[in-house]
Amino acid sequence: MKDPEEGGVSFTEMFDLPVAVDLRTAARALGIGSTTAYRLIGKDEFPCPILRVGGRYRIPTTELMRALGIDDRPRYSVDPDTDGPGNGF
């Protein structure tokens, strides 16, 4: 992923995205330009599933994160379902 100063999407910004994003946002996260993104869609080679809503493309954020190798589930240092620090014991 590009550095945020270069116009990319940072790791922490990924978790603030809505359920689906527009093609430009997805392209930024992937580190490619919009023209390349449209070209990949035309060749059916975009790296994650896309949705066509009216005349616009929407990319599910979970699929985008998966394409980037980002796990969309939070990780805990202690299993929240078991007794551990912060659970009253």
Side-chain angles (χ1 to χ4, degrees), residues 21-68:
V21 296
D22 60 21
L23 185 61
R24 287 184 180 191
T25 302
R28 272 187 30 217
L30 293 165
I32 60 175
S34 297
T35 303
T36 301
Y38 282 109
R39 189 175 331 117
L40 290 172
I41 289 172
K43 293 179 176 181
D44 199 28
E45 295 177 1
F46 198 75
C48 53
I50 58 167
L51 304 170
R52 180 99 186 207
V53 181
R56 298 176 187 254
Y57 293 108
R58 302 295 289 177
I59 294 78
T61 301
T62 56
E63 296 295 337
L64 176 60
M65 292 172 72
R66 191 171 291 128
L68 291 167

Side-chain angles (χ1 to χ4, degrees), residues 1 5 23 25 29 37 61 63 68 71 76-78 82 87-88:
M1 208 171 346
E5 294 177 3
L23 185 61
T25 302
T61 301
E63 296 295 337
L68 291 167
D71 191 0
Y76 298 96
S77 59
V78 175
T82 63
N87 288 346

Side-chain angles (χ1 to χ4, degrees), residues 9-26:
V9 177
S10 74
F11 182 80
T12 54
E13 286 176 315
M14 287 297 296
F15 289 95
D16 290 332
L17 292 175
V19 173
V21 296
D22 60 21
L23 185 61
R24 287 184 180 191
T25 302

